[in-house]
Amino acid sequence: MGLTEVSRYLSLILRHKPEVIGISLDEHGWADVEDLIAGIARDNEFNMEILEEIVATDNKQRYSFNEDKTLIRANQGHSVPVDVGLEEKEPPELLWHGTGEKFVASIDVQGLIPKSRLYVHLSADEETAVKVGRRHGNPILYQVKTGLMYRDGYKFYQSVNGVWLTKDVPAEYLERR
Ligand code: HQG
C-alpha cells in the first residue's frame, strides 16, 4: 500500500472499524499506537515513521497524537460513538453542504441527517463542499442557514481540523445552490 492507501485504511480503523486489526478505541476515540502499528504491520509495511509522516502530511489533518505519541485518534468523521471533546462554537451565518444528486429528493423532505456518522458535516467554503459532494456522484450544493439555526437553539461544533459539525439540519434551513 502507498501512503494514501494506508491513510484511507487508518481512517477506516480510527473512525469506523478498529476491529479489522483487532484493536478497540477508548471512549475518547484513542487507539494505542503500539497496537495500531502492530495490527497494520501484520499485512503491510508499516512503522512509527510512516505513521508520523501520515499524521504530519495528511491534507485534511485527519489524525492527532496525544502528547507523548502513545495514543492516536481521528479528529472527526466517526461512525463509532466516541467523544473527542468537540468544541461547541457559534457558526458563521452560512455554511455549505455538498452531496450527490441521488440524495436530493430525500434531503429536500428529511433535511440533512448524519446517516452512518455521528454528525452532519458542513464545509466553510463552496469549493470544499463541491469536493465532498463529488464523492457521491454528480455534486449538488446546499447553503445552510447556520446563523439562523444557532439562534433557534441548534448546537454546532468545530473539530480541531476545522470541520463544522451538527446533529441534523431540518430542510427549512437548506437552500439549493
Ligand atoms: C447524505 C469526508 C439522503 C449526505 C468529507 C451525504 C466530509 C442524506 C451522505 C466527511 C440525507 C453521507 C463527511 C437524507 C444526508 N437523505 N441522504 N436525509 N442527509 N444525506 O460520507 O458529508 O475525506 O457520511 O448529504 O470530506 O459526504 O473522509 O458524509 O452525501 O468532511 O476526511 O448522506 O467525509 O472527509 O455521506 O462526508 P458521508 P459526507 P474525509
Side-chain angles (χ1 to χ4, degrees), residues 71-102:
L71 302 173
I72 185 170
R73 72 181 173 192
N75 292 322
Q76 39 72 225
H78 299 83
S79 54
V80 295
V82 296
D83 173 7
V84 298
L86 288 170
E87 191 195 344
E88 200 187 318
K89 220 171 152 182
E90 179 173 354
E93 201 50 37
L94 296 169
L95 285 170
W96 297 88
H97 182 82
T99 189
E101 201 167 25
K102 61 189 172 198

Side-chain angles (χ1 to χ4, degrees), residues 9-10 13-14 18-26 30-43 46-48 51 65 69-72:
Y9 193 36
L10 209 51
I13 296 165
L14 295 178
E19 67 273 13
V20 295
I21 56 162
I23 67 166
S24 53
L25 310 179
D26 76 8
W30 295 111
D32 184 272
V33 166
E34 253 178 53
D35 296 347
L36 175 89
I37 291 174
I40 297 179
R42 264 200 299 273
D43 302 309
F46 196 69
N47 53 41
M48 185 61 174
L51 183 61
F65 284 114
K69 297 193 176 175
T70 54
L71 302 173
I72 185 170

